[in-house]
Amino acid sequence: MLEAFILTVITASTPLLLAAIGELVVERSGVLNLGVEGMMVMGAVAGFAVTNVTGSPLLGILGGLVAGAAVSLLFGFVTLTLVANQVASGLALTLFGLGLSGLIGEAYVGTPGLRLPALDLPGLTDLPVVGRILFGQDVLVYVSFALVAAVSWFLFRTRAGLVLRAIGDNHGSAHALGYSVVGVRYLAVMFGGACAGLGGAYLSVAYTPQWVENMSAGRGWIALALVVFSSWLPGRLVIGAYLFGAVSILNLHAQALGIGIPSQFLTMLPYLATIVVLVAISGNRRATAFNTPACLGKSFVPDR
Amino acid sequence: MKKLMLLAGTALALAVSAAGASAADKLKACWVYVGPIGDFGYSYQHDQGRLQVEKELGDKVETAYLENVAEGPDAERAIERFAREGCKIIFTTSFGFMDPTIKVAKKFPDVKFEHATGYKKADNVAIYNARFYEGRYILGQIAAKESKKGLAGYIVSFPIPEVVMGINSFMLGAQSINPDFKVKIVWVNSWFDPGKEADAAKALFDQGADIVVQHTDSTAALQVAEERGLKGFGQSSDMAKFAPKAQMTAIVDDWGPYYVARVKAVLDGTWTSTDTWGGIKDGEVVMAPYANMADDTKALAEATQAKIASGAFNPFTGPISDQDGKERYAAGVVAPDGDLLGMNWYVKGIDDKLPQ
Amino acid sequence: MRVELVKRPEMSRTMMLVSPLIAVGLTVVVAAAVFAVQGFDPLQGLWLFFLEPLTSLWGLEQLITKATPLVIVALGLSVCYLSNNWNIGAEGQLTIGAIVGSIPPVLFPHFVSPLVLPLMLILAAAGGAAYASVPALLKTRFGTNEILTSLMLVYCSTLFLDWLVRGPWRSPQGYNFPITIDFNESAILNPWSIGGVYVNLSAFVALALVAILAVVMRSTLKGFEIRVLGQSPRAGAFAGFSHRRMTLFAFALSGAFAGLAGMMVVMAEIQKLQPVISPGYGFTAIIVAFLGRLNPVGILVAGLVIASSYLGGEAIQTSLQMSSKVATLIQGVLLFFVLACDTLILYRVRLVGGPSRETARA
């Protein structure tokens, strides 16, 4: 029972984690891209379409990644090159993505998709209790954890990561030191788009292999909230995404057990739990402020 | 600059009026959908009905639709827009469009309105719905025959009478085979979230159910059943493509015949405000081919379907008691339609609680 | 080849007026291309999307109706954003406001009096403000980030409304459908006819709020305080302004505006409560606020532009059977262009060849 519960939580949390880890890097570089939902849904439709055309879920995932990165460039051009307002541009990106994905996807409504196969290591996967959990997931689950580890290492253990954080904290000084603020931010935005695209592709290729309009169903917004929840720390992001996933699944199990609480209140639980946990851990205000990118959402134009 | 814009505007207006003239002699029939037609569920099926009207009535009609119309303030504008654009018959396909439909109908007495799943009528407003519960009784019988554990999982969207009636009918069908049959119910509070529906199916299977029933639209739950080698039923459309080994049958909404008949009635001038609640007999509720079940189960399902189609049997025939054991209908009494339309209680044997 | 921005010595007044026109012009080009790709006559599509909604009195009425709540909510949000408080939960404050304001007609249906209407509006504003105070208090008391809390509270509010109209507040006459009883006549906003155009009280409330806020922001101490604290909390502290009080004030104000807007939508257009009372007004208003450059008059214009893009989207659907996705796509494109062209107000854009000066210096 516990094993089954954990397996379900993993699939529910993975798309959130994938999209959120990308946005975390974007925000660390000082850019606030509220278009995660739009990039995710583009990733979902591209992932489904490519899988459908090529017959290969792996290529589909690649397609989702590319689509996410491609639409993020639109946001990048408007906010980085033309220094437009980031909040509004992100919302524009969401509208754009929802519209375009719907148009592209019209041809695929009612078409069954192919599922990304799960890992199957003879011997290991059959281990009791932990076998399926550790060795029986699809590749994107491992990718999501690898990404978190890689991002954590990159941000805090490499020089390039230091530069990225410096740009997010004080783009003026970083520029004066000779770093290309706009260049780094472009790369960060594309990375965020690629990750959101992966998260979207996960939905249409691994989670539920099908395409329906708006199938991201608000997960992009949750991913954004989780980045805030993590106070921009990759490790905490895993906790946030899995907490949210676990409480969501718990709601379904509680209902199936028939505990008699109105379903609306149970459905509120993941949202409330996220708030409560955030309040509990945000007691240390100095630490939070330390991790918040000081230039988040502010446009940068080099003085000449 | 100003002059140029004026000129451009005039040119555009001319282009439009030229395009408009050619379509003037056709009857315009219009649909308002609550979801995207790309949902492969409720709105998709209504749109299939619209396409059938186009196909069967050919160049006598012209159709139009608005999708994704929220059940709030946008609905009235959408409906009135159609009335103003010359639609002669307007189908409003969601319960939340009821009051806006009545309001607009008052302003446009010459336009015919058809509202699905509601209860308010007017001289130019007809209402229609389908007896999906008839199909759900058959699902219940199949589930009880095929389930090894005597336990089904039931995924539902929102507690409205339509859904409650479906759960009850399913249970009555199941209990007619196995009086101890149990059902576990999960509300996902959403119509469009395949991920959540899949998770709900997993939770139900993990808690011991071996058959999943849904009153949500996506194919996600069936896909989970397929993967786990378990069984389930499709909803709104035939989902066999998505779960060839898991789908035992599906309740298919076929609005086509009704829409064709109603649009024809306007063409012939015979339209009147009616209250139509069609079922298996009228071809509005269609059962997808029975599959993946034992031969005697299939025979039973076909026999029940025939009995319902001939009018010999009604799923809501007493004795029926509610959850608390109170007898609602005595033996032989058939629940009147009015009761069904407002159904807000569970039959005996269901452990879930409805919000009161 | 790359784009280089050169800061203008001061804001260009010409560009302030011309940049939106350029944006619309570019959108027209893209929209025409999209229509053509989809196999429709681009001219007809453009006419329907951009102009047709403005050609009839009914279209104008609908435009005003749709723009009103967007403008009111966006006005409140602009104060929040100017003071550097990130309230993205207006949709939730709108919902809770409408619920609290509906207490008189739902729980006391026989209370018919001219007092009901103002009472409901006051309750709605209070309810919205109270709900907005939750993220504000969490921010000031625990330092909890308000973006997350205000967004999460949106989901909670709509689920609460859902439970309410299916449970305790469900109408006994509604065949157990999820609706409350119809509001009595004193709880309804009826439109007034002005030269044949029917306009609701709410539209005038919106105009009044635009005017009041324009004056407050420009020429009162409060307006100064909002802007100073938004731009530099340190400077604000030296001037004796409290950052904490400002957070509470800004959230409460925007919550009150959202509650008011939600209540008026319900009173004018739905006249009861049901699971869905807003087609995302609280979220769309964020776009309106920024599109209007957080300026009251700008917000009024932006609200009308966004509202007309919804009407245009419906027009191309009904007249050409174009997919509703096309409209969403064009809305996104329009927004991108408007935002991008705003750059022209502050900067001159140059295309330069060769390596960037930034890298050259490095």
Side-chain angles (χ1 to χ4, degrees), chain B residues 28 30 32 66 76-90 100-101 103-113 124, chain C residues 58 318:
Chain B
K28 195 165 175 187
C30 303
V32 185
L66 276 169
E76 186 178 336
R77 183 178 71 243
I79 300 165
E80 182 158 354
R81 171 183 291 278
F82 273 140
R84 287 177 175 270
E85 286 181 356
C87 297
K88 290 291 172 250
I89 179 163
I90 300 170
T101 305
K103 241 195 226 172
V104 178
K106 264 191 204 135
K107 285 197 216 167
F108 296 88
D110 298 337
V111 178
K112 315 296 183 213
F113 294 84
N124 58 338
Chain C
W58 181 75
T318 60

Short mmCIF file of all heavy atoms in Angstrom, two decimals, chain B residues 28 30 32 66 76-90 100-101 103-113 124, chain C residues 58 318:
data_model
loop_
_atom_site.label_atom_id
_atom_site.label_comp_id
_atom_site.label_asym_id
_atom_site.label_seq_id
_atom_site.Cartn_x
_atom_site.Cartn_y
_atom_site.Cartn_z
N LYS B 28 -29.55 29.36 -39.76
CA LYS B 28 -28.33 29.33 -38.96
C LYS B 28 -28.62 28.66 -37.62
O LYS B 28 -29.51 29.09 -36.88
CB LYS B 28 -27.80 30.75 -38.77
CG LYS B 28 -26.37 30.76 -38.26
CD LYS B 28 -25.73 32.15 -38.42
CE LYS B 28 -24.35 32.16 -37.79
NZ LYS B 28 -23.75 33.48 -37.77
N CYS B 30 -26.86 27.36 -33.96
CA CYS B 30 -25.66 27.73 -33.21
C CYS B 30 -25.57 26.98 -31.88
O CYS B 30 -26.59 26.67 -31.27
CB CYS B 30 -25.67 29.22 -32.96
SG CYS B 30 -25.78 30.15 -34.49
N VAL B 32 -23.44 26.70 -28.00
CA VAL B 32 -22.56 27.29 -27.00
C VAL B 32 -22.04 26.15 -26.12
O VAL B 32 -22.82 25.42 -25.51
CB VAL B 32 -23.31 28.31 -26.12
CG1 VAL B 32 -22.33 29.00 -25.17
CG2 VAL B 32 -24.01 29.35 -26.98
N LEU B 66 -19.50 28.52 -30.16
CA LEU B 66 -18.55 29.21 -29.29
C LEU B 66 -18.11 28.19 -28.25
O LEU B 66 -18.96 27.57 -27.61
CB LEU B 66 -19.21 30.40 -28.59
CG LEU B 66 -19.28 31.71 -29.35
CD1 LEU B 66 -20.19 32.68 -28.62
CD2 LEU B 66 -17.89 32.32 -29.50
N GLU B 76 -24.15 34.93 -21.02
CA GLU B 76 -25.25 35.72 -21.58
C GLU B 76 -24.81 36.44 -22.85
O GLU B 76 -25.53 36.48 -23.85
CB GLU B 76 -25.75 36.72 -20.54
CG GLU B 76 -26.98 37.47 -21.01
CD GLU B 76 -27.48 38.44 -19.95
OE1 GLU B 76 -27.19 38.23 -18.75
OE2 GLU B 76 -28.16 39.40 -20.33
N ARG B 77 -23.60 36.98 -22.81
CA ARG B 77 -23.10 37.69 -23.98
C ARG B 77 -22.96 36.73 -25.17
O ARG B 77 -23.34 37.07 -26.29
CB ARG B 77 -21.74 38.32 -23.66
CG ARG B 77 -21.20 39.12 -24.82
CD ARG B 77 -19.89 39.79 -24.49
NE ARG B 77 -18.80 38.85 -24.37
CZ ARG B 77 -18.12 38.63 -23.28
NH1 ARG B 77 -18.41 39.31 -22.18
NH2 ARG B 77 -17.14 37.75 -23.25
N ALA B 78 -22.44 35.53 -24.90
CA ALA B 78 -22.24 34.56 -25.98
C ALA B 78 -23.58 34.21 -26.63
O ALA B 78 -23.71 34.17 -27.86
CB ALA B 78 -21.58 33.31 -25.43
N ILE B 79 -24.59 33.97 -25.79
CA ILE B 79 -25.89 33.57 -26.33
C ILE B 79 -26.53 34.72 -27.10
O ILE B 79 -27.05 34.55 -28.20
CB ILE B 79 -26.81 33.08 -25.18
CG1 ILE B 79 -26.17 31.88 -24.48
CG2 ILE B 79 -28.19 32.73 -25.71
CD1 ILE B 79 -26.79 31.55 -23.14
N GLU B 80 -26.46 35.92 -26.51
CA GLU B 80 -27.08 37.06 -27.17
C GLU B 80 -26.38 37.36 -28.49
O GLU B 80 -27.01 37.77 -29.47
CB GLU B 80 -27.07 38.29 -26.26
CG GLU B 80 -27.75 39.48 -26.93
CD GLU B 80 -28.25 40.52 -25.96
OE1 GLU B 80 -28.17 40.29 -24.74
OE2 GLU B 80 -28.72 41.58 -26.44
N ARG B 81 -25.06 37.17 -28.52
CA ARG B 81 -24.33 37.40 -29.76
C ARG B 81 -24.91 36.55 -30.89
O ARG B 81 -25.16 37.03 -31.99
CB ARG B 81 -22.86 37.08 -29.57
CG ARG B 81 -22.06 37.08 -30.86
CD ARG B 81 -20.62 36.68 -30.61
NE ARG B 81 -19.89 37.68 -29.87
CZ ARG B 81 -19.35 38.77 -30.43
NH1 ARG B 81 -19.47 38.98 -31.72
NH2 ARG B 81 -18.69 39.63 -29.70
N PHE B 82 -25.15 35.28 -30.58
CA PHE B 82 -25.72 34.39 -31.59
C PHE B 82 -27.09 34.86 -32.05
O PHE B 82 -27.40 34.87 -33.24
CB PHE B 82 -25.81 32.96 -31.05
CG PHE B 82 -24.56 32.17 -31.23
CD1 PHE B 82 -24.09 31.32 -30.24
CD2 PHE B 82 -23.84 32.26 -32.42
CE1 PHE B 82 -22.93 30.57 -30.42
CE2 PHE B 82 -22.69 31.52 -32.61
CZ PHE B 82 -22.23 30.68 -31.61
N ALA B 83 -27.92 35.26 -31.07
CA ALA B 83 -29.26 35.72 -31.42
C ALA B 83 -29.17 36.94 -32.35
O ALA B 83 -29.91 37.06 -33.32
CB ALA B 83 -30.03 36.06 -30.15
N ARG B 84 -28.23 37.82 -32.05
CA ARG B 84 -28.07 39.03 -32.86
C ARG B 84 -27.50 38.72 -34.23
O ARG B 84 -27.73 39.46 -35.18
CB ARG B 84 -27.14 40.02 -32.15
CG ARG B 84 -27.80 40.67 -30.98
CD ARG B 84 -26.86 41.59 -30.24
NE ARG B 84 -27.62 42.26 -29.22
CZ ARG B 84 -28.25 43.42 -29.42
NH1 ARG B 84 -28.17 44.02 -30.58
NH2 ARG B 84 -28.96 43.95 -28.46
N GLU B 85 -26.69 37.66 -34.32
CA GLU B 85 -26.07 37.35 -35.59
C GLU B 85 -26.97 36.52 -36.49
O GLU B 85 -26.52 35.97 -37.49
CB GLU B 85 -24.74 36.62 -35.35
CG GLU B 85 -23.66 37.56 -34.87
CD GLU B 85 -22.32 36.88 -34.64
OE1 GLU B 85 -22.25 35.66 -34.79
OE2 GLU B 85 -21.36 37.59 -34.30
N GLY B 86 -28.23 36.40 -36.10
CA GLY B 86 -29.18 35.76 -37.00
C GLY B 86 -29.33 34.26 -36.82
O GLY B 86 -29.88 33.58 -37.69
N CYS B 87 -28.87 33.71 -35.71
CA CYS B 87 -29.10 32.29 -35.47
C CYS B 87 -30.59 32.10 -35.21
O CYS B 87 -31.21 32.88 -34.50
CB CYS B 87 -28.33 31.81 -34.24
SG CYS B 87 -26.56 31.95 -34.44
N LYS B 88 -31.15 31.06 -35.80
CA LYS B 88 -32.59 30.82 -35.61
C LYS B 88 -32.82 29.80 -34.51
O LYS B 88 -33.90 29.71 -33.94
CB LYS B 88 -33.21 30.33 -36.92
CG LYS B 88 -33.28 31.41 -37.98
CD LYS B 88 -34.29 32.50 -37.60
CE LYS B 88 -34.22 33.68 -38.55
NZ LYS B 88 -33.66 34.88 -37.91
N ILE B 89 -31.84 28.97 -34.27
CA ILE B 89 -31.95 28.03 -33.15
C ILE B 89 -30.59 27.97 -32.46
O ILE B 89 -29.54 27.87 -33.12
CB ILE B 89 -32.44 26.64 -33.61
CG1 ILE B 89 -32.53 25.70 -32.41
CG2 ILE B 89 -31.56 26.06 -34.70
CD1 ILE B 89 -33.37 24.46 -32.67
N ILE B 90 -30.64 28.08 -31.12
CA ILE B 90 -29.39 28.14 -30.36
C ILE B 90 -29.41 27.06 -29.28
O ILE B 90 -30.34 27.01 -28.46
CB ILE B 90 -29.22 29.53 -29.71
CG1 ILE B 90 -29.19 30.61 -30.79
CG2 ILE B 90 -27.93 29.58 -28.88
CD1 ILE B 90 -29.27 32.01 -30.25
N PRO B 100 -29.05 32.57 -18.18
CA PRO B 100 -28.74 33.41 -19.34
C PRO B 100 -29.59 33.06 -20.56
O PRO B 100 -30.03 33.94 -21.29
CB PRO B 100 -27.26 33.12 -19.61
CG PRO B 100 -26.71 32.63 -18.32
CD PRO B 100 -27.83 31.96 -17.60
N THR B 101 -29.84 31.77 -20.79
CA THR B 101 -30.66 31.37 -21.93
C THR B 101 -32.07 31.95 -21.80
O THR B 101 -32.61 32.53 -22.75
CB THR B 101 -30.75 29.83 -22.02
OG1 THR B 101 -29.43 29.30 -22.05
CG2 THR B 101 -31.50 29.39 -23.26
N LYS B 103 -33.04 34.51 -20.08
CA LYS B 103 -32.98 35.96 -20.19
C LYS B 103 -32.92 36.42 -21.65
O LYS B 103 -33.68 37.30 -22.08
CB LYS B 103 -31.70 36.45 -19.48
CG LYS B 103 -31.95 37.39 -18.31
CD LYS B 103 -30.63 38.06 -17.97
CE LYS B 103 -30.36 38.07 -16.48
NZ LYS B 103 -29.01 38.54 -16.15
N VAL B 104 -32.01 35.80 -22.41
CA VAL B 104 -31.86 36.20 -23.81
C VAL B 104 -33.11 35.80 -24.60
O VAL B 104 -33.56 36.55 -25.48
CB VAL B 104 -30.59 35.56 -24.43
CG1 VAL B 104 -30.46 35.93 -25.89
CG2 VAL B 104 -29.36 35.99 -23.66
N ALA B 105 -33.69 34.66 -24.28
CA ALA B 105 -34.87 34.19 -25.00
C ALA B 105 -36.01 35.19 -24.89
O ALA B 105 -36.79 35.38 -25.82
CB ALA B 105 -35.30 32.83 -24.47
N LYS B 106 -36.10 35.87 -23.74
CA LYS B 106 -37.15 36.88 -23.56
C LYS B 106 -36.97 38.02 -24.55
O LYS B 106 -37.94 38.58 -25.06
CB LYS B 106 -37.09 37.43 -22.13
CG LYS B 106 -38.05 36.73 -21.21
CD LYS B 106 -38.16 37.46 -19.89
CE LYS B 106 -38.63 36.48 -18.83
NZ LYS B 106 -37.89 36.57 -17.59
N LYS B 107 -35.72 38.37 -24.81
CA LYS B 107 -35.44 39.49 -25.70
C LYS B 107 -35.63 39.12 -27.17
O LYS B 107 -35.82 39.99 -28.00
CB LYS B 107 -33.98 39.94 -25.53
CG LYS B 107 -33.70 40.72 -24.27
CD LYS B 107 -32.35 41.45 -24.42
CE LYS B 107 -31.61 41.49 -23.12
NZ LYS B 107 -30.20 41.88 -23.25
N PHE B 108 -35.52 37.84 -27.48
CA PHE B 108 -35.60 37.40 -28.88
C PHE B 108 -36.67 36.33 -29.06
O PHE B 108 -36.36 35.15 -29.21
CB PHE B 108 -34.24 36.86 -29.36
CG PHE B 108 -33.16 37.89 -29.36
CD1 PHE B 108 -32.40 38.13 -28.24
CD2 PHE B 108 -32.91 38.64 -30.51
CE1 PHE B 108 -31.41 39.09 -28.23
CE2 PHE B 108 -31.91 39.61 -30.51
CZ PHE B 108 -31.17 39.84 -29.37
N PRO B 109 -37.94 36.75 -29.05
CA PRO B 109 -39.02 35.76 -29.07
C PRO B 109 -39.06 34.93 -30.37
O PRO B 109 -39.64 33.86 -30.38
CB PRO B 109 -40.29 36.62 -28.93
CG PRO B 109 -39.87 38.01 -29.25
CD PRO B 109 -38.41 38.12 -28.95
N ASP B 110 -38.46 35.43 -31.44
CA ASP B 110 -38.51 34.69 -32.70
C ASP B 110 -37.41 33.64 -32.84
O ASP B 110 -37.41 32.85 -33.78
CB ASP B 110 -38.39 35.66 -33.89
CG ASP B 110 -39.55 36.64 -33.91
OD1 ASP B 110 -40.60 36.29 -33.33
OD2 ASP B 110 -39.38 37.73 -34.46
N VAL B 111 -36.47 33.66 -31.91
CA VAL B 111 -35.38 32.69 -31.99
C VAL B 111 -35.72 31.51 -31.08
O VAL B 111 -36.29 31.69 -30.01
CB VAL B 111 -34.06 33.34 -31.54
CG1 VAL B 111 -32.92 32.34 -31.57
CG2 VAL B 111 -33.74 34.53 -32.43
N LYS B 112 -35.42 30.30 -31.54
CA LYS B 112 -35.66 29.12 -30.72
C LYS B 112 -34.41 28.80 -29.91
O LYS B 112 -33.30 28.85 -30.43
CB LYS B 112 -35.99 27.89 -31.58
CG LYS B 112 -36.97 28.15 -32.70
CD LYS B 112 -38.32 28.54 -32.17
CE LYS B 112 -39.31 28.72 -33.31
NZ LYS B 112 -40.29 29.77 -32.98
N PHE B 113 -34.62 28.47 -28.64
CA PHE B 113 -33.51 28.13 -27.77
C PHE B 113 -33.68 26.71 -27.26
O PHE B 113 -34.80 26.26 -27.04
CB PHE B 113 -33.44 29.10 -26.60
CG PHE B 113 -33.11 30.51 -27.01
CD1 PHE B 113 -34.10 31.37 -27.46
CD2 PHE B 113 -31.80 30.97 -26.96
CE1 PHE B 113 -33.79 32.66 -27.86
CE2 PHE B 113 -31.49 32.26 -27.34
CZ PHE B 113 -32.49 33.11 -27.80
N ASN B 124 -40.23 29.82 -26.17
CA ASN B 124 -39.20 29.59 -27.18
C ASN B 124 -37.94 28.92 -26.60
O ASN B 124 -36.88 28.98 -27.19
CB ASN B 124 -38.83 30.89 -27.90
CG ASN B 124 -38.34 31.96 -26.94
OD1 ASN B 124 -38.62 31.91 -25.74
ND2 ASN B 124 -37.57 32.90 -27.45
N TRP C 58 -24.77 47.54 -28.94
CA TRP C 58 -24.69 46.36 -28.09
C TRP C 58 -23.24 45.98 -27.84
O TRP C 58 -22.83 45.66 -26.72
CB TRP C 58 -25.43 45.19 -28.76
CG TRP C 58 -25.42 43.96 -27.93
CD1 TRP C 58 -26.16 43.72 -26.82
CD2 TRP C 58 -24.60 42.79 -28.12
NE1 TRP C 58 -25.86 42.48 -26.30
CE2 TRP C 58 -24.91 41.90 -27.09
CE3 TRP C 58 -23.64 42.43 -29.06
CZ2 TRP C 58 -24.29 40.65 -26.96
CZ3 TRP C 58 -23.03 41.19 -28.94
CH2 TRP C 58 -23.36 40.31 -27.90
N THR C 318 -17.62 33.03 -34.12
CA THR C 318 -19.00 32.82 -34.55
C THR C 318 -19.14 33.09 -36.04
O THR C 318 -19.86 32.38 -36.73
CB THR C 318 -19.98 33.72 -33.79
OG1 THR C 318 -19.63 35.08 -34.03
CG2 THR C 318 -19.93 33.45 -32.32
#
